[in-house]
Amino acid sequence: MKSEDTKKLHIAIFASHTGTNMQAIIDACRRGDLNGEVCAVISNNSDSRALEKARIAGIPEYYLSNKTYPEEDELDEAICKVLTESGADIVALAGYMKKLGPKVLKQYKGRILNIHPSLLPKYGGKGMYGIHVHRAVIDAGEKTTGVTIHLVEEEYDTGKIIRQCEIEVLEGDTIDTLSKRVLERENAFYVETLKLISEAVIKL
Protein backbone atom coordinates (compact mmCIF):
# COMPACT_ATOMS: atom_id res chain seq x y z
CA MET A 1 0.00 0.00 0.00
CA LYS A 2 1.54 3.29 -1.07
CA SER A 3 1.57 6.38 1.11
CA GLU A 4 -0.18 9.45 -0.24
CA ASP A 5 3.19 11.17 -0.08
CA THR A 6 4.80 8.56 -2.31
CA LYS A 7 5.77 9.97 -5.68
CA LYS A 8 6.52 7.83 -8.69
CA LEU A 9 10.05 8.60 -9.78
CA HIS A 10 10.89 8.80 -13.46
CA ILE A 11 14.57 7.91 -13.40
CA ALA A 12 17.17 8.43 -16.10
CA ILE A 13 20.27 6.32 -15.49
CA PHE A 14 23.75 7.11 -16.79
CA ALA A 15 26.20 4.18 -16.92
CA SER A 16 29.46 3.55 -18.75
CA HIS A 17 30.16 -0.13 -18.15
CA THR A 18 28.41 -3.16 -16.61
CA GLY A 19 25.30 -1.44 -15.27
CA THR A 20 24.94 -3.56 -12.12
CA ASN A 21 23.51 -0.71 -10.04
CA MET A 22 21.27 0.19 -12.97
CA GLN A 23 19.95 -3.38 -13.16
CA ALA A 24 19.22 -3.35 -9.41
CA ILE A 25 17.12 -0.20 -9.86
CA ILE A 26 15.27 -1.62 -12.89
CA ASP A 27 14.52 -4.85 -11.01
CA ALA A 28 13.29 -3.00 -7.92
CA CYS A 29 10.90 -0.90 -10.04
CA ARG A 30 9.56 -4.00 -11.77
CA ARG A 31 9.08 -5.88 -8.49
CA GLY A 32 7.21 -2.93 -7.03
CA ASP A 33 9.81 -2.43 -4.28
CA LEU A 34 10.50 1.03 -5.67
CA ASN A 35 7.72 3.31 -6.88
CA GLY A 36 9.58 4.31 -9.98
CA GLU A 37 10.27 3.72 -13.63
CA VAL A 38 13.55 3.87 -15.52
CA CYS A 39 12.61 6.06 -18.47
CA ALA A 40 16.01 6.30 -20.19
CA VAL A 41 19.50 4.85 -20.06
CA ILE A 42 22.38 6.93 -21.38
CA SER A 43 25.94 5.70 -21.92
CA ASN A 44 29.09 7.24 -23.35
CA ASN A 45 30.34 3.75 -24.24
CA SER A 46 28.77 2.06 -27.25
CA ASP A 47 29.94 -1.36 -26.02
CA SER A 48 28.66 -0.99 -22.46
CA ARG A 49 26.66 -3.84 -21.01
CA ALA A 50 24.38 -1.17 -19.55
CA LEU A 51 23.01 -0.40 -23.03
CA GLU A 52 22.56 -4.10 -23.72
CA LYS A 53 20.71 -4.59 -20.42
CA ALA A 54 18.47 -1.61 -21.19
CA ARG A 55 17.61 -3.09 -24.58
CA ILE A 56 16.74 -6.44 -22.98
CA ALA A 57 14.54 -4.63 -20.45
CA GLY A 58 12.79 -2.65 -23.20
CA ILE A 59 14.01 0.68 -21.85
CA PRO A 60 14.93 3.47 -24.29
CA GLU A 61 18.73 3.56 -24.49
CA TYR A 62 21.03 6.20 -25.92
CA TYR A 63 24.69 6.17 -26.85
CA LEU A 64 25.80 9.79 -26.49
CA SER A 65 29.49 10.60 -26.46
CA ASN A 66 32.21 12.77 -27.95
CA LYS A 67 32.14 10.44 -30.95
CA THR A 68 28.46 11.10 -31.66
CA TYR A 69 28.79 14.79 -30.66
CA PRO A 70 32.43 16.00 -30.92
CA GLU A 71 31.57 19.43 -29.51
CA GLU A 72 31.00 19.40 -25.73
CA ASP A 73 28.14 21.91 -25.89
CA GLU A 74 26.35 19.83 -28.54
CA LEU A 75 26.71 16.70 -26.41
CA ASP A 76 25.40 18.61 -23.39
CA GLU A 77 22.41 19.80 -25.43
CA ALA A 78 21.71 16.31 -26.80
CA ILE A 79 21.69 14.83 -23.28
CA CYS A 80 19.34 17.59 -22.08
CA LYS A 81 17.00 16.83 -24.98
CA VAL A 82 16.85 13.11 -24.14
CA LEU A 83 16.21 13.86 -20.47
CA THR A 84 13.42 16.31 -21.26
CA GLU A 85 11.73 14.07 -23.82
CA SER A 86 11.97 11.01 -21.55
CA GLY A 87 10.14 12.83 -18.75
CA ALA A 88 12.94 12.19 -16.27
CA ASP A 89 12.54 13.96 -12.97
CA ILE A 90 15.66 12.50 -11.35
CA VAL A 91 19.04 11.43 -12.74
CA ALA A 92 21.01 8.55 -11.24
CA LEU A 93 24.65 8.16 -12.21
CA ALA A 94 25.69 4.53 -11.89
CA GLY A 95 29.31 4.15 -12.90
CA TYR A 96 29.22 6.99 -15.45
CA MET A 97 32.77 7.92 -16.36
CA LYS A 98 32.30 11.37 -17.84
CA LYS A 99 31.64 14.80 -16.39
CA LEU A 100 28.20 16.24 -17.05
CA GLY A 101 27.94 19.49 -18.97
CA PRO A 102 26.74 22.82 -17.55
CA LYS A 103 23.28 22.67 -19.19
CA VAL A 104 22.46 19.27 -17.68
CA LEU A 105 23.83 20.38 -14.29
CA LYS A 106 21.69 23.53 -14.38
CA GLN A 107 18.50 21.86 -15.68
CA TYR A 108 18.63 19.08 -13.08
CA LYS A 109 20.33 20.93 -10.23
CA GLY A 110 19.63 19.16 -6.95
CA ARG A 111 18.19 16.14 -8.76
CA ILE A 112 21.34 14.37 -10.00
CA LEU A 113 22.59 11.57 -7.76
CA ASN A 114 25.86 9.68 -7.87
CA ILE A 115 27.00 6.63 -5.93
CA HIS A 116 30.62 6.40 -4.78
CA PRO A 117 32.39 3.37 -3.24
CA SER A 118 33.91 5.09 -0.21
CA LEU A 119 32.92 7.29 2.70
CA LEU A 120 33.32 10.68 1.08
CA PRO A 121 35.10 13.04 1.45
CA LYS A 122 37.67 10.25 1.82
CA TYR A 123 38.95 8.75 -1.42
CA GLY A 124 37.03 10.97 -3.81
CA GLY A 125 37.99 13.26 -6.66
CA LYS A 126 39.35 12.88 -10.16
CA GLY A 127 40.61 9.39 -10.96
CA MET A 128 39.11 7.91 -7.80
CA TYR A 129 36.65 5.30 -9.00
CA GLY A 130 36.23 1.53 -8.81
CA ILE A 131 39.36 -0.43 -8.03
CA HIS A 132 41.40 2.78 -7.55
CA VAL A 133 39.24 3.63 -4.53
CA HIS A 134 39.46 0.13 -3.04
CA ARG A 135 43.24 0.00 -3.58
CA ALA A 136 43.63 3.33 -1.76
CA VAL A 137 41.44 2.13 1.13
CA ILE A 138 43.46 -1.08 1.55
CA ASP A 139 46.84 0.68 1.12
CA ALA A 140 45.86 3.17 3.84
CA GLY A 141 45.05 0.34 6.24
CA GLU A 142 41.48 1.53 6.76
CA LYS A 143 39.30 -0.63 8.99
CA THR A 144 36.09 0.82 7.53
CA THR A 145 34.98 1.89 4.09
CA GLY A 146 31.48 2.33 2.72
CA VAL A 147 29.12 3.75 0.15
CA THR A 148 28.13 7.38 -0.37
CA ILE A 149 25.22 8.76 -2.37
CA HIS A 150 25.61 12.45 -3.08
CA LEU A 151 24.33 15.22 -5.30
CA VAL A 152 26.40 15.96 -8.39
CA GLU A 153 28.07 19.31 -8.91
CA GLU A 154 30.65 20.56 -11.38
CA GLU A 155 33.63 19.00 -9.58
CA TYR A 156 33.95 15.28 -8.87
CA ASP A 157 32.49 14.01 -5.59
CA THR A 158 31.97 17.43 -4.02
CA GLY A 159 28.17 17.64 -3.85
CA LYS A 160 25.99 17.42 -0.75
CA ILE A 161 26.03 13.97 0.85
CA ILE A 162 22.54 12.45 0.87
CA ARG A 163 23.25 9.15 2.60
CA GLN A 164 26.15 6.92 3.64
CA CYS A 165 26.62 3.41 4.99
CA GLU A 166 29.70 1.77 6.47
CA ILE A 167 31.29 -1.50 5.39
CA GLU A 168 33.98 -3.25 7.40
CA VAL A 169 37.33 -3.85 5.75
CA LEU A 170 38.19 -7.43 6.72
CA GLU A 171 41.65 -8.70 7.52
CA GLY A 172 43.05 -10.23 4.37
CA ASP A 173 40.72 -8.30 2.06
CA THR A 174 42.01 -7.87 -1.47
CA ILE A 175 40.88 -5.25 -3.97
CA ASP A 176 38.71 -7.94 -5.54
CA THR A 177 37.02 -9.20 -2.36
CA LEU A 178 36.43 -5.70 -1.04
CA SER A 179 35.07 -4.38 -4.35
CA LYS A 180 32.62 -7.29 -4.62
CA ARG A 181 31.30 -6.71 -1.11
CA VAL A 182 30.98 -2.95 -1.60
CA LEU A 183 29.23 -3.36 -4.97
CA GLU A 184 26.73 -5.78 -3.48
CA ARG A 185 25.87 -3.19 -0.83
CA GLU A 186 25.74 -0.42 -3.45
CA ASN A 187 23.01 -2.25 -5.37
CA ALA A 188 20.66 -2.37 -2.39
CA PHE A 189 21.69 1.02 -0.99
CA TYR A 190 20.90 2.91 -4.20
CA VAL A 191 17.44 1.32 -4.35
CA GLU A 192 16.81 2.05 -0.66
CA THR A 193 17.80 5.69 -1.13
CA LEU A 194 15.61 6.19 -4.20
CA LYS A 195 12.73 4.61 -2.25
CA LEU A 196 13.23 7.12 0.59
CA ILE A 197 13.23 9.94 -1.98
CA SER A 198 10.00 8.65 -3.57
CA GLU A 199 8.41 8.50 -0.10
CA ALA A 200 9.56 12.07 0.67
CA VAL A 201 11.57 10.81 3.66
CA ILE A 202 14.59 12.31 1.91
CA LYS A 203 13.89 15.67 0.29
CA LEU A 204 16.27 16.76 -2.44
Side-chain angles (χ1 to χ4, degrees):
M1 191 170 174
K2 296 184 175 69
S3 159
E4 287 181 8
D5 292 331
T6 299
K7 174 190 174 187
K8 183 170 185 177
L9 296 179
H10 295 88
I11 308 160
I13 299 180
F14 288 51
S16 295
H17 296 296
T18 57
T20 50
N21 280 318
M22 178 198 80
Q23 189 67 57
I25 294 168
I26 291 170
D27 291 345
C29 291
R30 302 226 159 143
R31 285 194 309 267
D33 294 342
L34 170 60
N35 186 23
E37 175 188 7
V38 178
C39 57
V41 170
I42 293 173
S43 183
N44 62 326
N45 174 8
S46 61
D47 294 325
S48 72
R49 286 181 61 199
L51 290 178
E52 182 186 347
K53 288 175 179 178
R55 279 193 290 273
I56 291 168
I59 294 167
E61 36 85 18
Y62 304 87
Y63 165 52
L64 300 171
S65 74
N66 292 117
K67 288 186 177 177
T68 59
Y69 293 93
E71 299 295 328
E72 289 289 350
D73 60 336
E74 290 181 1
L75 176 59
D76 195 13
E77 188 67 51
I79 292 172
C80 274
K81 187 170 185 285
V82 166
L83 292 175
T84 301
E85 291 179 354
S86 72
D89 47 36
I90 193 165
V91 172
L93 305 189
Y96 186 63
M97 309 308 294
K98 181 171 173 55
K99 269 191 174 182
L100 296 177
K103 289 178 183 174
V104 173
L105 289 171
K106 183 179 179 183
Q107 184 173 326
Y108 283 84
K109 185 175 176 59
R111 294 183 289 154
I112 306 173
L113 301 176
N114 184 45
I115 191 162
H116 186 81
S118 76
L119 295 171
L120 292 175
K122 283 188 170 184
Y123 309 110
K126 188 174 181 181
M128 293 302 286
Y129 59 89
I131 62 170
H132 304 292
V133 175
H134 304 307
R135 180 182 289 117
V137 167
I138 289 172
D139 287 350
E142 296 281 6
K143 302 297 184 190
T144 306
T145 185
V147 177
T148 301
I149 292 177
H150 64 94
L151 293 179
V152 174
E153 294 184 347
E154 189 176 335
E155 295 305 318
Y156 289 113
D157 305 326
T158 58
K160 176 185 172 184
I161 292 172
I162 301 299
R163 205 163 168 248
Q164 289 183 313
C165 68
E166 292 188 353
I167 296 166
E168 186 182 0
V169 180
L170 303 176
E171 190 173 341
D173 255 336
T174 63
I175 292 169
D176 189 48
T177 59
L178 183 59
S179 65
K180 282 180 180 173
R181 210 162 61 254
V182 171
L183 181 59
E184 189 175 297
R185 185 68 188 103
E186 280 185 39
N187 293 168
F189 196 63
Y190 221 160
V191 170
E192 290 165 14
T193 303
L194 287 166
K195 188 170 187 289
L196 291 172
I197 292 168
S198 77
E199 293 169 348
V201 175
I202 293 176
K203 293 180 170 60
L204 297 180

